[in-house]
Amino acid sequence: MPKKSKTPSVKRRSADQEQPAVKRSKEEQSDTSTLCFQSPATLFESLIQPMGTDQFFSEYWEKKPLHLQRSDPGTALYYQSLFQLCDLQSLCSQGLEYYRDINVVRCVNGKKKLLNKEGRVKHSVLNKIMSQNKATVQYHQPQRFKDELWRIQEKLECFFGALVGSNIYITPEESQGLPPHYDDVEVFILQLEGQKHWHLYNPTVPLAAEYSVQSEDSIGIPTHDIILKAGDLLYFPRGTIHQARTPAGVNCSIHLTLSTYQRMSWGDLLLDAFPSLLCDRSRREVSLREGMPRRLLLSSSEGLHTNKRLAACLRSLADEMETGMQELGFTHMKRDFIMNRLPPYCQQQLSSPSGKSPALKDTVILTFNDHMVITVEPRPQSTDDATELVVFVLHSLKNQREGHMMGDSCDDQEERSISTGLQFPLSYLQALRQLQLAEQLVVAQLQLPTQEDKLNLALALWSENLLRVL
């Protein structure tokens, strides 16, 4: 970390700068991983090596599949350590349940046959179902219990700025778990053990926004015929039709699926940003508050005049956006991401603020910049006639790893959004953005009107473990 200088200074933070490391045990420090966890960018780069990140995103991302064959035995051994058959037995003792945590499936005549029991998973019963039915075990979101997957996926969520889920698939010899289908996520397959025979087909819906099973007679011939071996990686974009089978002579295949970019399209961004954008514009422009023609809702056709009027409004709004006169806010997508993502790796050590509390003369730095977002929203439960805007700092430091990607009720999400955020007056926005951009900053340099405001902001962030004194 940079040392505190004698004279006040501001240093700029680079986009992929690594967050301050959390102290870990000696066992964790003696790392045999073939991945580089120095930063989110280096983690992804090491995941897809020997290919470079720029080449991957220019040639493959959202465009076409990629198969990376690895002859390095170290990679195969590391992949194998991420999940093994013996892990399943120990995890069953932690109260896994069918449907929620485990699905037992087999593809029969092009359809998925579900072989789940009810209630808790007993390892002996699970083994029996697998062997008697040549069934696939699909283990949902293993990062909830496997530390190394938590470590990988937390970094990938920082890299993509999107949720990253995972599943483990255990498939016996000459068996297939799922019928041909396509997903609404970008998929990275890591072959952990054994081999898997993959067939990929051209998308019927490129960059699909939903999951869909496809019939064998509608998908044509494969565009890719791949044998995935231990240590190999396979990537394919959402919408890619695929099916996989454990070949003859291979006792068992275990692979890990990492998935991301669900509902992260330009269309999704517009759906989030546009309502508040239009609402703000309506407050400022009387023409948007004028009444529409009488009986328009009873009309069988909206008419060319109505279309032209709406198009003119949209065109004017687009012009303001393009010139920067109208600021966009992606409040719902930001909230959804930060409330549902993984907490920092080894977050149990973040229960109380670390180090000395900040004073005006101290140089400070944001500690988990990738785990916080800033939103500008109406004050909750405001009773004033005029809507008052406030600044929220939301963070994921208190998120529960055990619930990652498992879905929450609306009530649970609302409760967590209140408990994992700070609220400030709108006048604090510039100072917060100043902290986000600065590598280091003296508290007294914060762009706030009074010394008391500056200290209050620093103390509030420090109390949530979002800021520390250098």
Side-chain angles (χ1 to χ4, degrees):
M1 301 303 299
K3 294 180 180 179
K4 180 178 176 181
S5 59
K6 293 181 180 179
T7 57
S9 63
V10 177
K11 294 189 177 180
R12 295 312 229 181
R13 182 193 295 268
S14 64
D16 284 315
Q17 183 173 327
E18 170 61 349
Q19 306 290 354
V22 178
K23 290 184 178 180
R24 301 188 176 95
S25 65
K26 291 181 179 179
E27 290 77 16
E28 290 169 322
Q29 291 171 4
S30 58
D31 193 357
T32 58
S33 171
T34 56
L35 300 177
C36 177
F37 291 89
Q38 182 180 351
S39 73
T42 59
L43 183 279
F44 184 77
E45 186 176 10
S46 62
L47 182 69
I48 62 167
Q49 59 82 25
M51 178 163 287
T53 302
D54 290 343
Q55 183 185 359
F56 172 78
F57 281 101
S58 64
E59 297 181 19
Y60 294 94
W61 176 255
E62 295 190 330
K63 297 180 182 71
K64 61 183 179 180
L66 170 67
H67 176 206
L68 293 173
Q69 296 174 282
R70 271 70 173 267
S71 57
D72 173 26
T75 300
L77 282 172
Y78 175 63
Y79 277 20
Q80 186 181 37
S81 73
L82 295 177
F83 195 94
Q84 302 175 56
L85 273 177
C86 59
D87 292 328
L88 196 58
Q89 183 171 0
S90 61
L91 288 167
C92 284
S93 66
Q94 297 186 30
L96 300 185
E97 294 188 6
Y98 288 104
Y99 298 99
R100 184 193 69 186
D101 304 302
I102 294 281
N103 272 339
V104 188
V105 296
R106 186 174 182 190
C107 179
V108 179
N109 298 325
K111 295 183 178 180
K112 182 174 78 171
K113 183 179 181 181
L114 197 59
L115 301 167
N116 286 356
K117 300 292 184 182
E118 294 294 333
R120 291 202 168 186
V121 180
K122 293 183 179 179
H123 186 256
S124 58
V125 176
L126 185 62
N127 256 346
K128 188 176 180 180
I129 301 173
M130 286 176 62
S131 58
Q132 288 182 350
N133 298 277
K134 300 193 75 172
T136 292
V137 171
Q138 180 187 33
Y139 176 27
H140 303 307
Q141 311 303 337
Q143 72 279 5
R144 296 175 294 145
F145 304 104
K146 296 288 290 180
D147 286 353
E148 192 68 0
L149 293 180
W150 173 17
R151 186 185 184 195
I152 292 169
Q153 288 173 239
E154 182 259 331
K155 273 285 190 287
L156 288 177
E157 287 186 333
C158 293
F159 177 76
F160 286 110
L163 297 175
V164 177
S166 69
N167 283 319
I168 292 285
Y169 293 88
I170 305 169
T171 306
E173 182 180 6
E174 292 190 285
S175 184
Q176 180 171 331
L178 299 173
H181 66 280
Y182 60 75
D183 297 299
D184 59 347
V185 286
E186 302 295 304
V187 174
F188 296 84
I189 308 289
L190 281 61
Q191 187 66 28
L192 309 186
E193 193 172 320
Q195 298 179 9
K196 204 69 174 280
H197 189 184
W198 288 83
H199 283 153
L200 309 182
Y201 307 81
N202 277 326
T204 53
V205 183
L207 302 180
E210 56 188 10
Y211 169 92
S212 178
V213 174
Q214 303 288 287
S215 61
E216 285 275 5
D217 56 3
S218 68
I219 57 179
I221 60 172
T223 57
H224 296 74
D225 187 326
I226 297 168
I227 299 289
L228 213 58
K229 299 179 180 179
D232 286 359
L233 181 143
L234 174 64
Y235 159 79
F236 49 84
R238 55 194 187 277
T240 303
I241 301 168
H242 57 280
Q243 59 179 328
R245 183 179 183 86
T246 303
V250 177
N251 182 50
C252 176
S253 164
I254 304 178
H255 80 258
L256 166 71
T257 296
L258 296 171
S259 56
T260 190
Y261 255 61
Q262 185 179 50
R263 295 188 290 276
M264 290 288 290
S265 69
W266 286 111
D268 293 305
L269 198 62
L270 274 174
L271 285 171
D272 186 9
F274 196 75
S276 61
L277 192 68
L278 193 57
C279 186
D280 291 343
R281 181 67 179 271
S282 295
R283 290 194 190 101
R284 294 184 286 108
E285 190 169 318
V286 68
S287 65
L288 287 175
R289 301 197 299 273
E290 292 174 356
M292 56 190 180
R294 288 180 299 103
R295 297 182 59 81
L296 179 64
L297 302 181
L298 296 173
S299 156
S300 59
S301 173
E302 285 75 17
L304 185 60
H305 174 75
T306 301
N307 292 346
K308 285 184 175 180
R309 175 73 180 256
L310 292 176
C313 293
L314 293 173
R315 202 171 293 115
S316 174
L317 193 59
D319 288 342
E320 281 200 5
M321 289 167 56
E322 194 169 14
T323 57
M325 293 171 61
Q326 179 72 52
E327 187 169 341
L328 292 179
F330 318 124
T331 300
H332 293 99
M333 291 183 77
K334 283 183 174 183
R335 277 187 173 270
D336 181 70
F337 172 52
I338 215 69
M339 288 184 341
N340 290 292
R341 67 162 302 183
L342 283 164
Y345 181 57
C346 286
Q347 57 105 236
Q348 65 268 21
Q349 299 186 30
L350 304 176
S351 55
S352 59
S354 59
K356 70 182 289 284
S357 59
L360 285 169
K361 62 181 177 56
D362 288 328
T363 301
V364 296
I365 186 171
L366 290 181
T367 49
F368 291 98
N369 209 10
D370 281 344
H371 281 268
M372 60 172 277
V373 296
I374 296 172
T375 67
V376 178
E377 305 174 51
R379 181 188 294 277
Q381 301 172 342
S382 177
T383 57
D384 297 334
D385 293 336
T387 303
E388 181 187 1
L389 295 178
V390 293
V391 180
F392 286 94
V393 175
L394 307 173
H395 65 83
S396 58
L397 273 61
K398 297 178 183 177
N399 287 4
Q400 296 302 305
R401 163 203 183 187
E402 293 76 14
H404 184 243
M405 300 297 290
M406 298 303 289
D408 278 329
S409 68
C410 293
D411 290 341
D412 290 337
Q413 289 195 357
E414 182 66 25
E415 184 178 339
R416 284 196 293 117
S417 70
I418 293 171
S419 64
T420 58
L422 297 167
Q423 181 179 313
F424 299 101
L426 189 59
S427 59
Y428 279 53
L429 180 60
Q430 191 59 39
L432 285 163
R433 288 178 173 169
Q434 188 185 1
L435 279 167
Q436 276 192 312
L437 292 172
E439 183 180 323
Q440 62 183 47
L441 185 71
V442 176
V443 175
Q445 289 181 305
L446 287 170
Q447 295 175 13
L448 285 166
T450 69
Q451 303 289 66
E452 183 182 9
D453 288 338
K454 296 173 184 180
L455 191 55
N456 283 344
L457 175 58
L459 285 170
L461 295 171
W462 172 79
S463 69
E464 292 284 300
N465 263 304
L466 296 173
L467 177 143
R468 73 180 182 91
V469 176
L470 290 178

